[in-house]
Amino acid sequence: RAAEAYWICGDYYLDVAESYAFAAAVHARELRDAEKAAYLYILAAEAYEKLDGVGAECYYCKAISLFCKISNYEMAGLLQQQIAQNNETHKKYKAAIRAHEKASNYFLASKNEHQSNLSLSKVAYLSGWIGHYRKAALLYVSMADYYLKYNLK
């Protein structure tokens, strides 16, 4: 409730983030409700993004860890993509590539190969952008092979 009150007041994003993070920690440790805690960490990260997009990564990582604990890899992949987008926004392309690769792995764990390939296409694009052309070409070829096989079934 404190976080919601701060959120309504506006411009208290650090207090909002800390309040949501505290509530998430209580849900994770004391109440043993990993899913609710993960969603509270997401709210903390979203509030922290208003101040510092890179600093929000800590809360996103905590949420990802909890989602993996309850085997919700699809949500973990979506959050990892958010981390990657934040890194792209701050021109941290190598970190964005690593984050997209992790997102791809989470989507594979959730059996969502299409979403995994979309993350890999981002890896290929960013790899080409920073001059790793061989890696980009190999990724594009492997995705093309996958879709060729998939569409011919």
Side-chain angles (χ1 to χ4, degrees), residues 49-104:
E49 273 184 345
K50 305 285 186 188
L51 300 170
D52 177 20
V54 179
E57 186 172 337
C58 174
Y59 293 128
Y60 279 128
C61 287
K62 289 180 180 189
I64 289 169
S65 175
L66 289 169
F67 279 123
C68 288
K69 187 176 183 179
I70 60 173
S71 300
N72 188 345
Y73 299 110
E74 184 82 18
M75 197 65 192
L78 291 172
L79 293 176
Q80 194 65 49
Q81 281 184 328
Q82 182 63 40
I83 290 171
Q85 289 171 357
N86 287 346
N87 284 322
E88 285 179 58
T89 301
H90 291 92
K91 296 181 175 30
K92 295 183 173 188
Y93 298 117
K94 289 183 180 182
I97 288 170
R98 285 190 303 272
H100 279 298
E101 287 171 336
K102 286 181 183 179
S104 173

Side-chain angles (χ1 to χ4, degrees), residues 10 29 35 47-48 52 58 72-73 83 87 110 127 132 134 136-137:
R29 278 190 249 125
E35 186 172 20
Y48 206 87
D52 177 20
C58 174
N72 188 345
Y73 299 110
I83 290 171
N87 284 322
S110 71
S127 295
H132 296 131
R134 182 164 176 74

Side-chain angles (χ1 to χ4, degrees), residues 4 11 17 19-20 25 42 48 53 56-57 68 74-75 80 86 97-98 100 109 116 121 129 139 142 145 149 153:
E4 291 171 0
D11 293 333
S19 297
Y20 277 129
I42 292 170
Y48 206 87
E57 186 172 337
C68 288
E74 184 82 18
M75 197 65 192
Q80 194 65 49
N86 287 346
I97 288 170
R98 285 190 303 272
H100 279 298
S116 173
S121 71
W129 183 261
L139 285 169
S142 71
D145 287 343
K149 290 176 189 173
K153 283 184 180 181

